[in-house]
Amino acid sequence: MKAEILALLRERADYVSGQELCGHFGVSRTAVWKAINQLKKEGYRIKAVQNKGYHLLPEEAVFGKNEIESRLQTKWAGRNLSFYESINSTNIRAKLEAEDGAPEGTLVVADMQTAGRGRRGRGWESPAGRNVYFTLVVKPSFAPDRASMLTLVMALAVNRAIRKVTGISSAIKWPNDLVAEGRKVCGMLTEMSVERDYIHYIVIGVGINVAKQEFPEEIAGTAAALEEFTGSPINRAELVAEVMSAFEEYYETFCRTADLSGLTQEYNESLVNSGRTVRVLDPKGEFCGTAKGINELGELLVEREDGTTEAIYAGEVSVRGVYGYV
Ligand code: BTN
């Protein structure tokens, strides 16, 4: 109810009467009053005036369960939501919840992680009050060899959300980093539990750098935060809610064919590598070529100088620009 009260108050520029809230939720005045008080404790400034009702004063961005839920517009993505002020890793927590039978669309969000995990065994710096860390649980019925493509689906979703909420022209660096002006603003870590040819669950973890911060030395040159480009504060809850809307839509398209055929065009339009010379860091031998976009399996098509085209599978290799990260 608290999230819905918030959404209602936010919608109205004017006061919403206590009577209207009671009628809307079918509860007593005391119950409404209690919910309002709890919201105030969470940091919301709500003005109460006799005979007029309640009015939400301009918010200092509160990042929490109610704020995210009050902005969610999805059918299932993010609808079973848990929020932590601090947790070891949202991926670890999401896997535990999935093991316990959490439904598809379960979302774990944190303000801070004490053991944030990156790809290739690296860590992911996760300070409080600055960024977005979340993990979404999905339980698809397609075969496990399709699963890695879901990270590309999430990349599309985060890219759309960043563009919509912040106006920044972000782009995807294949397969699933998001960049703004050539610097990484978001990373993803997908993990799954499989039994023979059956997927128990997949967790897709996303870290988005939002507020300006000092990055660890190893990534200081290549990482950036969204607010460096907007110059104004970004509402993290709105960002999470928009990612959920976009992911829900793209995921449903993906599941129809269990490949990226319905999303290839949009992905390629968002791909920063398209038409650029890339260095393919293949353990079997590095080579350079021109990136041409992805195919329906999410492989990057790279044209070599001799005119032949290679389809690169993300699991084994990564790509860099010839002059740097992109
Ligand atoms: C990368 O190395 O680029 C992937 C980074 C993934 C970080 C996110 S933050 C939320 C989720 N929980 C984790 O421990 N990792 C992912």
Side-chain angles (χ1 to χ4, degrees):
M1 177 167 92
K2 278 187 279 174
E4 285 176 75
I5 291 185
L6 257 185
L8 251 172
L9 293 182
R10 195 183 298 121
E11 240 169 55
R12 294 286 179 83
D14 204 3
Y15 283 80
V16 182
S17 74
Q19 199 177 5
E20 180 181 343
L21 291 172
C22 294
H24 189 95
F25 297 107
V27 297
S28 67
R29 269 177 183 269
T30 323
V32 166
W33 181 81
K34 269 192 187 157
I36 295 274
N37 268 349
Q38 281 165 9
L39 286 170
K40 280 186 185 167
K41 278 202 191 110
E42 286 172 27
Y44 294 97
R45 294 190 302 145
I46 301 169
K47 206 169 157 190
V49 174
Q50 250 191 353
N51 301 326
K52 279 173 107 179
Y54 301 100
H55 174 58
L56 182 66
L57 295 168
E59 295 160 36
E60 317 207 330
V62 177
F63 190 43
K65 182 173 161 73
N66 287 320
E67 182 68 23
I68 299 168
E69 283 182 339
S70 73
R71 292 172 182 277
L72 273 182
Q73 292 190 328
T74 53
K75 295 189 292 268
W76 52 267
R79 286 291 166 187
N80 178 34
L81 169 70
S82 51
F83 182 90
Y84 296 86
E85 293 296 337
S86 175
I87 197 163
N88 49 7
S89 152
T90 54
N91 268 33
I92 295 177
R93 181 69 221 164
K95 283 192 279 184
L96 289 174
E97 291 196 14
E99 295 285 347
D100 272 357
E104 176 150 89
T106 292
L107 178 66
V108 179
V109 188
D111 183 49
M112 168 187 168
Q113 297 183 118
T114 52
R117 296 157 62 179
R119 269 173 307 178
R120 299 173 208 275
R122 287 189 286 249
W124 185 259
E125 278 287 310
S126 310
R130 303 196 143 340
N131 301 320
V132 166
Y133 318 108
F134 70 78
T135 302
L136 183 69
V137 178
V138 286
K139 297 181 154 178
S141 53
F142 48 71
D145 66 341
R146 309 270 128 176
S148 64
M149 284 185 258
L150 283 187
T151 334
L152 281 74
V153 176
M154 183 57 93
L156 258 184
V158 180
N159 192 47
R160 184 169 105 183
I162 290 179
R163 284 170 162 256
K164 184 167 176 198
V165 173
T166 72
I168 296 170
S169 310
S170 54
I172 302 171
K173 174 183 173 288
W174 183 84
N176 50 37
D177 283 350
L178 290 184
V179 295
E181 294 184 17
R183 292 195 289 151
K184 176 165 167 173
V185 291
C186 168
M188 289 168 207
L189 178 65
T190 298
E191 299 177 80
M192 66 171 163
S193 163
V194 179
E195 193 180 297
R196 272 185 239 139
D197 54 356
Y198 170 77
I199 297 176
H200 281 297
Y201 60 81
I202 300 174
V203 299
I204 312 169
V206 177
I208 310 174
N209 304 331
V210 177
K212 202 166 167 359
Q213 59 207 277
E214 278 208 11
F215 290 104
E217 208 181 315
E218 331 72 87
I219 58 165
T222 51
L226 296 176
E227 287 181 6
E228 292 178 42
F229 306 103
T230 57
S232 55
I234 293 165
N235 187 307
R236 289 181 286 164
E238 192 184 349
L239 203 50
V240 174
E242 284 298 339
V243 174
M244 290 303 113
S245 292
F247 183 83
E248 187 171 280
E249 190 185 314
Y250 291 137
Y251 179 74
E252 286 175 5
T253 304
F254 180 87
C255 288
R256 266 176 234 135
T257 53
D259 66 22
L260 292 159
S261 48
L263 301 169
T264 314
Q265 191 188 343
E266 194 168 343
Y267 185 96
N268 284 335
E269 283 165 7
S270 315
L271 189 63
V272 72
N273 315 90
S274 267
R276 294 199 191 189
T277 309
V278 291
R279 206 151 43 91
V280 180
L281 309 177
D282 189 331
K284 291 182 243 126
E286 270 185 48
F287 66 94
C288 286
T290 308
K292 294 289 182 190
I294 60 158
N295 61 16
E296 71 283 359
L297 296 176
E299 296 164 327
L300 185 67
L301 303 171
V302 178
E303 193 180 287
R304 288 181 184 253
E305 268 171 18
D306 63 7
T308 58
T309 299
E310 300 241 3
I312 317 276
Y313 178 68
E316 305 144 19
V317 301
S318 51
V319 300
R320 294 274 178 280
V322 235
Y323 301 112
Y325 176 62
V326 173

Coordinates of all heavy atoms in Angstrom, one line a residue, residues 88-92 113 115-120 122-124 126 132-135 176-177 184 186-189 204-208, ligand 1:
N88 N 26.0 -8.8 0.7 CA 27.3 -9.2 0.1 C 27.3 -9.0 -1.5 O 28.1 -8.2 -2.0 CB 27.7 -10.6 0.5 CG 26.5 -11.6 0.3 OD1 25.4 -11.3 -0.3 ND2 26.7 -12.8 0.7
S89 N 26.3 -9.6 -2.1 CA 26.2 -9.5 -3.6 C 24.7 -9.8 -3.9 O 24.2 -10.8 -3.5 CB 27.1 -10.5 -4.3 OG 26.6 -10.8 -5.6
T90 N 24.1 -9.0 -4.8 CA 22.7 -9.2 -5.1 C 22.6 -10.5 -6.0 O 21.6 -11.2 -5.9 CB 22.1 -8.0 -6.0 OG1 23.0 -7.8 -7.1 CG2 22.0 -6.8 -5.1
N91 N 23.7 -10.9 -6.7 CA 23.7 -12.1 -7.4 C 23.6 -13.3 -6.5 O 22.8 -14.3 -6.7 CB 24.9 -12.3 -8.3 CG 24.7 -11.8 -9.7 OD1 24.0 -10.8 -9.9 ND2 25.4 -12.4 -10.7
I92 N 24.4 -13.3 -5.4 CA 24.4 -14.4 -4.4 C 23.0 -14.5 -3.8 O 22.4 -15.5 -3.7 CB 25.5 -14.1 -3.3 CG1 26.9 -14.2 -3.9 CG2 25.3 -15.1 -2.2 CD1 28.0 -13.9 -2.9
Q113 N 27.1 -3.1 -1.9 CA 27.4 -4.5 -1.8 C 28.8 -4.6 -1.2 O 29.7 -3.8 -1.4 CB 27.5 -5.1 -3.2 CG 26.2 -5.1 -4.0 CD 26.4 -5.8 -5.3 OE1 25.7 -6.8 -5.6 NE2 27.2 -5.3 -6.2
A115 N 30.6 -7.5 -1.2 CA 31.4 -8.5 -2.0 C 30.8 -8.5 -3.5 O 30.5 -9.6 -4.0 CB 31.3 -9.9 -1.4
G116 N 30.6 -7.3 -4.1 CA 30.1 -7.2 -5.4 C 31.1 -8.0 -6.4 O 32.3 -7.9 -6.2
R117 N 30.4 -8.7 -7.3 CA 31.3 -9.6 -8.2 C 31.2 -9.1 -9.6 O 30.1 -8.8 -10.1 CB 30.8 -11.0 -8.1 CG 31.0 -11.5 -6.7 CD 30.0 -12.7 -6.4 NE 30.3 -13.8 -7.3 CZ 29.7 -14.9 -7.2 NH1 28.7 -15.1 -6.4 NH2 30.0 -15.9 -8.1
G118 N 32.3 -9.1 -10.3 CA 32.4 -8.8 -11.7 C 32.7 -10.0 -12.5 O 32.7 -11.1 -12.0
R119 N 32.9 -9.9 -13.8 CA 33.1 -11.0 -14.6 C 34.6 -11.5 -14.5 O 35.4 -10.7 -14.0 CB 32.9 -10.7 -16.1 CG 31.5 -11.0 -16.5 CD 31.2 -10.5 -17.9 NE 31.5 -9.1 -18.0 CZ 31.4 -8.4 -19.1 NH1 31.0 -9.0 -20.2 NH2 31.7 -7.2 -19.1
R120 N 34.9 -12.7 -14.9 CA 36.2 -13.2 -14.9 C 36.8 -13.2 -13.5 O 38.0 -12.9 -13.3 CB 37.1 -12.5 -15.9 CG 36.6 -12.7 -17.3 CD 37.5 -11.8 -18.3 NE 36.7 -11.5 -19.4 CZ 36.5 -12.2 -20.5 NH1 37.0 -13.4 -20.6 NH2 35.7 -11.8 -21.5
R122 N 36.6 -11.1 -11.2 CA 37.0 -9.9 -10.6 C 35.9 -9.4 -9.6 O 34.8 -9.9 -9.6 CB 37.2 -8.8 -11.7 CG 38.4 -9.0 -12.5 CD 38.6 -7.9 -13.5 NE 37.7 -7.9 -14.6 CZ 38.1 -8.2 -15.9 NH1 39.3 -8.4 -16.1 NH2 37.2 -8.2 -16.8
G123 N 36.3 -8.4 -8.9 CA 35.3 -7.8 -7.9 C 34.5 -6.6 -8.6 O 34.9 -6.3 -9.8
W124 N 33.5 -6.1 -8.0 CA 32.8 -4.9 -8.5 C 32.6 -4.0 -7.4 O 31.9 -4.2 -6.4 CB 31.5 -5.4 -9.1 CG 30.7 -4.3 -9.8 CD1 29.6 -3.6 -9.3 CD2 30.9 -3.8 -11.1 NE1 29.2 -2.7 -10.2 CE2 29.9 -2.7 -11.3 CE3 31.8 -4.0 -12.1 CZ2 29.8 -2.0 -12.5 CZ3 31.7 -3.3 -13.3 CH2 30.7 -2.3 -13.5
S126 N 31.3 -1.5 -4.9 CA 29.9 -1.2 -4.8 C 29.6 -0.3 -3.6 O 29.0 -0.7 -2.6 CB 29.1 -2.5 -4.6 OG 29.4 -3.4 -5.6
V132 N 23.6 1.8 -8.8 CA 22.5 0.8 -8.9 C 23.1 -0.6 -9.0 O 24.0 -0.8 -9.8 CB 21.6 1.1 -10.1 CG1 20.7 -0.1 -10.4 CG2 20.8 2.4 -10.0
Y133 N 22.7 -1.4 -8.1 CA 23.1 -2.8 -8.1 C 21.8 -3.7 -8.0 O 21.1 -3.5 -7.0 CB 24.0 -3.2 -6.9 CG 25.0 -2.2 -6.6 CD1 24.9 -1.4 -5.4 CD2 26.1 -1.9 -7.4 CE1 25.8 -0.4 -5.1 CE2 27.1 -0.9 -7.1 CZ 26.9 -0.2 -6.0 OH 27.8 0.8 -5.7
F134 N 21.6 -4.5 -9.0 CA 20.4 -5.4 -8.9 C 20.6 -6.7 -9.7 O 21.5 -6.7 -10.5 CB 19.1 -4.6 -9.4 CG 19.0 -4.4 -10.9 CD1 18.7 -5.4 -11.7 CD2 19.3 -3.1 -11.4 CE1 18.6 -5.2 -13.1 CE2 19.2 -2.9 -12.8 CZ 18.8 -3.9 -13.6
T135 N 19.8 -7.6 -9.3 CA 19.8 -8.9 -10.0 C 18.4 -9.4 -10.2 O 17.6 -9.4 -9.3 CB 20.6 -10.0 -9.1 OG1 22.0 -9.5 -8.9 CG2 20.8 -11.3 -9.9
N176 N 28.0 -7.0 -23.6 CA 27.0 -6.4 -22.7 C 27.5 -5.3 -21.8 O 26.9 -5.1 -20.7 CB 26.3 -7.5 -21.9 CG 27.4 -8.4 -21.3 OD1 28.4 -8.0 -20.9 ND2 27.1 -9.7 -21.2
D177 N 28.5 -4.7 -22.2 CA 28.9 -3.5 -21.4 C 28.1 -2.3 -22.0 O 27.9 -2.3 -23.2 CB 30.4 -3.1 -21.5 CG 31.2 -4.1 -20.6 OD1 30.7 -4.8 -19.8 OD2 32.5 -4.0 -20.8
K184 N 33.0 3.0 -19.8 CA 32.0 2.0 -19.3 C 31.2 2.6 -18.1 O 31.7 3.0 -17.1 CB 32.7 0.7 -18.8 CG 31.9 -0.4 -18.2 CD 32.6 -1.7 -18.2 CE 32.0 -2.7 -17.3 NZ 32.6 -4.0 -17.3
C186 N 28.2 0.7 -17.2 CA 27.4 -0.4 -16.6 C 28.0 -1.8 -17.0 O 28.5 -1.9 -18.1 CB 26.0 -0.3 -17.2 SG 25.0 -1.8 -17.0
G187 N 28.0 -2.7 -16.1 CA 28.5 -4.1 -16.4 C 27.4 -5.1 -15.9 O 26.6 -4.8 -15.1
M188 N 27.5 -6.3 -16.5 CA 26.5 -7.3 -16.2 C 27.2 -8.7 -15.9 O 28.2 -9.0 -16.5 CB 25.6 -7.5 -17.3 CG 24.7 -6.4 -17.5 SD 23.8 -6.4 -19.0 CE 23.5 -4.6 -19.2
L189 N 26.6 -9.4 -15.0 CA 27.1 -10.7 -14.7 C 26.0 -11.7 -14.6 O 25.1 -11.6 -13.8 CB 27.9 -10.7 -13.3 CG 28.4 -12.1 -12.9 CD1 29.5 -12.6 -13.8 CD2 28.9 -11.9 -11.4
I204 N 20.5 -12.5 -13.6 CA 21.2 -11.5 -14.4 C 21.5 -10.3 -13.5 O 20.6 -9.6 -13.1 CB 20.4 -11.0 -15.6 CG1 19.8 -12.2 -16.4 CG2 21.2 -10.1 -16.6 CD1 18.8 -11.8 -17.4
G205 N 22.8 -10.1 -13.2 CA 23.2 -9.0 -12.3 C 23.7 -7.8 -13.0 O 24.4 -7.9 -14.0
V206 N 23.2 -6.6 -12.6 CA 23.5 -5.4 -13.3 C 24.1 -4.4 -12.3 O 23.5 -4.1 -11.3 CB 22.3 -4.8 -14.0 CG1 22.6 -3.5 -14.7 CG2 21.7 -5.8 -15.0
G207 N 25.2 -3.8 -12.7 CA 25.7 -2.7 -11.9 C 25.8 -1.4 -12.8 O 26.5 -1.5 -13.8
I208 N 25.2 -0.3 -12.4 CA 25.2 0.9 -13.2 C 25.8 2.0 -12.3 O 25.4 2.2 -11.2 CB 23.8 1.4 -13.6 CG1 23.0 0.2 -14.2 CG2 23.9 2.5 -14.5 CD1 21.5 0.6 -14.5
Ligands
BTN1 C1 31.4 -6.8 -15.0 O1 32.5 -7.2 -14.7 O2 31.4 -5.9 -16.0 C2 30.2 -7.3 -14.4 C3 29.8 -6.5 -13.2 C4 28.5 -6.9 -12.6 C5 28.1 -6.2 -11.3 C6 26.8 -6.4 -10.8 S1 26.3 -5.3 -9.5 C7 24.9 -6.3 -9.2 C8 25.3 -7.7 -9.4 N1 25.8 -8.3 -8.1 C9 27.1 -8.6 -8.2 O3 27.8 -9.1 -7.3 N2 27.5 -8.3 -9.5 C10 26.5 -7.8 -10.3

